Amino acid sequence: MAGRRFEDAVMPHLDAAFNYARWLTRNDVDAEDLVQEACMRAMRFLASLRDGNPRPWLFAIVRNTWYSRQSRPGMAVEHPMDMQSRDDRPDDALDPEQQLAQQDTVARVRRALEALPAEFREAVVLRDIEGLSYKEIAEALRVPIGTVMSRISRGRERLLETLSVQSAPEVML
Amino acid sequence: MTCACLDRDLDAYVDGELPAEADAAARTHLDGCASCAARLRQRQALKRALQAIPYFETPPGVRATIALRASRMRSLRRLGLIAAAAVVVLAAARTVTFLPLRPAPASDAAQALVDGHVRSLMADHLLDVRSTDQHTVKPWFIGKLDFSPPVTDLAGQGYPLVGGRVDYVAGQLVAALVYQRRQHVINVFVAPSGTATAGVAARSVRGFHVRRWTAGGMWFSAVSDLNEAELDAFVSALRSS
Ligand SMILES: [Zn+2]
């Protein structure tokens, strides 16, 4: 059992796992349960990480845990979106008017992303918020890279459609 | 390159994921095509907005719980208890979740005890009090149960006591004493019993062996994946102690 320690290999990615879990579940309570259960699994499966990259490995566990939780009797399949407000930290480099515009944009983009079907939502989250490469996303989702590309592309397409209904995209973004 | 060609690669271009040659071709096209360049700017703006969404931060309590579990898991591994148990736990995880919290019919008793045993092998269920000293383990139960289980160390006979916990088996609050034989865990469940039976009843469920007897107004059940000969030797050592 001499191998990597959970604390060294996995704990540095806990925030990433929680953020991803929160985007999958779209509410705090489920995200907390999910990330705890996933970490318990990660502890038991730690040997399977070997010298691999912990981030996609951990995301894959979070994701599998979420889908197996959803198929469990008594578990709600999809919660109604909870539009909890969070601090949308504006960029300090912008003047106040720009800051407000940016805050507003970010809030709307966040809502649009939250409303996206799960398969597009997670692909976009893993790429643009978690910053994974296409190869890492393919590992986490266990799909070919071509599928990753098309999910990201269609996800962004849908986001732009949603946002352009609200206002002209050039003005909006 | 045509607009349609670029269209397929636009997102990979924005993400810097195109191979060098395709990346250069896309750049050339974008320099000379206003409509594709406009779509590129839109994509880039969307990407910036997505990147500006703040991270959901792990609640500190969640982080602390996970760190605690990791350290407990490692100390159990050090005891050599988890490696053998992990496989069983995975197979049994589903059963364990739905362990009935009601008095089980007699035929299900052995099943419930095995479930209790398997559940105990999960990282944070095996030991609430960790001690090889019976004088530490016995008083630990006071105030947690309305009876006082007899606690005996059998290290001299090759079955060291490693600790205990309060558990819930087949609708009853029970004391669980944990003994170890090489890498095998033996759970001894103890609770008050209104009936007295002679001898030791033996059952096997899913590769686990169960030995059940009564003494001094209590029932005892020893559960383990240890071979039956050694488990029987353990039970007779415990009964004659
Ligand atoms: Zn073009």
Side-chain angles (χ1 to χ4, degrees):
Chain A
M1 268 288 165
R4 303 166 75 175
R5 282 162 43 104
F6 182 85
E7 283 87 337
D8 303 333
V10 183
M11 280 307 263
H13 307 291
L14 183 61
D15 283 332
F18 182 80
N19 184 61
Y20 177 53
R22 181 61 177 71
W23 278 106
L24 282 180
T25 62
R26 298 184 293 185
N27 75 84
D28 289 331
V29 175
D30 282 341
E32 290 176 19
D33 288 354
L34 171 57
V35 83
Q36 296 202 34
E37 189 177 342
C39 282
M40 292 302 287
R41 287 193 188 194
M43 285 174 211
R44 289 189 215 118
F45 291 133
L46 193 57
S48 75
L49 172 60
R50 291 187 201 93
D51 52 3
N53 181 351
R55 263 157 75 83
W57 177 84
L58 183 59
F59 286 130
I61 294 176
V62 169
R63 184 172 193 274
N64 291 342
T65 307
W66 174 237
Y67 287 109
S68 63
R69 279 172 74 91
Q70 282 187 301
S71 61
R72 231 176 260 169
M75 293 296 294
V77 170
E78 284 268 276
H79 281 263
M81 263 184 292
D82 99 32
M83 297 299 197
Q84 246 182 355
S85 66
R86 284 181 304 140
D87 296 333
D88 292 316
R89 269 165 302 191
D91 191 333
D92 293 335
L94 303 176
D95 69 40
E97 203 172 318
Q98 284 175 313
Q99 280 189 12
L100 279 177
Q102 195 212 32
Q103 250 175 303
D104 185 45
T105 300
V106 169
R108 276 187 297 149
V109 171
R110 181 163 62 85
R111 280 196 295 274
L113 180 57
E114 226 157 8
L116 214 54
E119 58 171 336
F120 304 128
R121 190 188 337 133
E122 63 176 349
V124 171
V125 165
L126 290 175
R127 175 63 219 184
D128 288 330
I129 300 180
E130 302 284 9
L132 264 60
S133 69
Y134 284 9
K135 183 170 165 292
E136 290 173 321
I137 299 172
E139 254 179 76
L141 304 184
R142 312 251 159 88
V143 296
I145 287 192
T147 308
V148 171
M149 288 177 70
S150 80
R151 286 189 191 168
I152 289 173
S153 184
R154 291 177 62 193
R156 287 180 184 156
E157 208 67 70
R158 285 191 181 219
L159 285 174
L160 288 168
E161 273 166 34
T162 308
L163 294 164
S164 69
V165 170
Q166 299 167 351
S167 58
E170 288 289 5
V171 177
M172 201 283 301
L173 289 172
Chain B
M1 181 186 268
T2 66
C3 293
C5 281
L6 177 62
D7 199 36
R8 258 193 353 209
D9 287 347
L10 191 58
D11 286 284
Y13 178 77
V14 169
D15 289 329
E17 291 265 0
L18 281 183
E21 204 174 307
D23 191 83
R27 196 182 304 267
T28 308
H29 178 88
L30 284 160
D31 282 345
C33 175
S35 80
C36 283
R39 290 175 49 245
L40 173 69
R41 281 195 303 278
Q42 215 179 61
R43 283 286 208 278
Q44 287 168 331
L46 175 66
K47 196 174 166 69
R48 277 196 302 276
L50 287 165
Q51 287 168 336
I53 297 176
Y55 234 55
F56 289 102
E57 275 163 31
T58 320
V62 171
R63 175 181 294 278
T65 304
I66 292 168
L68 181 69
R69 284 175 166 182
S71 81
R72 279 199 199 174
M73 173 81 89
R74 208 185 17 268
S75 41
L76 289 176
R77 280 220 171 93
R78 213 175 288 128
L79 274 173
L81 300 178
I82 284 297
V87 178
V88 177
V89 169
L90 291 178
R94 213 148 277 259
T95 328
V96 166
T97 314
F98 302 111
L99 188 74
L101 298 180
R102 58 183 163 72
S107 58
D108 286 350
Q111 175 71 53
L113 288 161
V114 167
D115 284 344
H117 174 76
V118 170
R119 186 181 36 171
S120 78
L121 302 181
M122 300 182 74
D124 46 351
H125 282 117
L126 187 60
L127 300 174
D128 287 338
V129 54
R130 178 194 315 280
S131 173
T132 55
D133 182 357
Q134 63 204 48
H135 304 295
T136 304
V137 175
K138 190 175 169 66
W140 180 84
F141 285 106
I142 296 170
K144 298 182 179 71
L145 294 168
D146 56 5
F147 63 97
S148 178
V151 180
T152 321
D153 186 20
L154 296 173
Q157 287 93 325
Y159 301 90
L161 175 71
V162 292
R165 69 180 186 283
V166 171
D167 209 332
Y168 201 65
V169 175
Q172 203 173 3
L173 211 49
V174 303
L177 302 171
V178 183
Y179 293 85
Q180 201 185 337
R181 175 75 165 181
R182 297 187 304 277
Q183 80 277 30
H184 301 276
V185 173
I186 306 171
N187 267 294
V188 179
F189 299 103
V190 188
S193 168
T195 57
T197 53
V200 178
R203 286 283 303 277
S204 292
V205 178
R206 300 196 315 253
F208 294 96
H209 307 300
V210 182
R211 296 292 181 270
R212 198 177 163 92
W213 69 97
T214 61
M218 299 198 190
W219 62 258
F220 295 74
S221 278
V223 185
S224 184
D225 65 338
L226 186 62
N227 68 73
E228 298 194 69
E230 284 185 301
L231 184 61
D232 287 333
F234 167 78
V235 169
S236 54
L238 190 61
R239 293 183 82 207
S240 59
S241 67

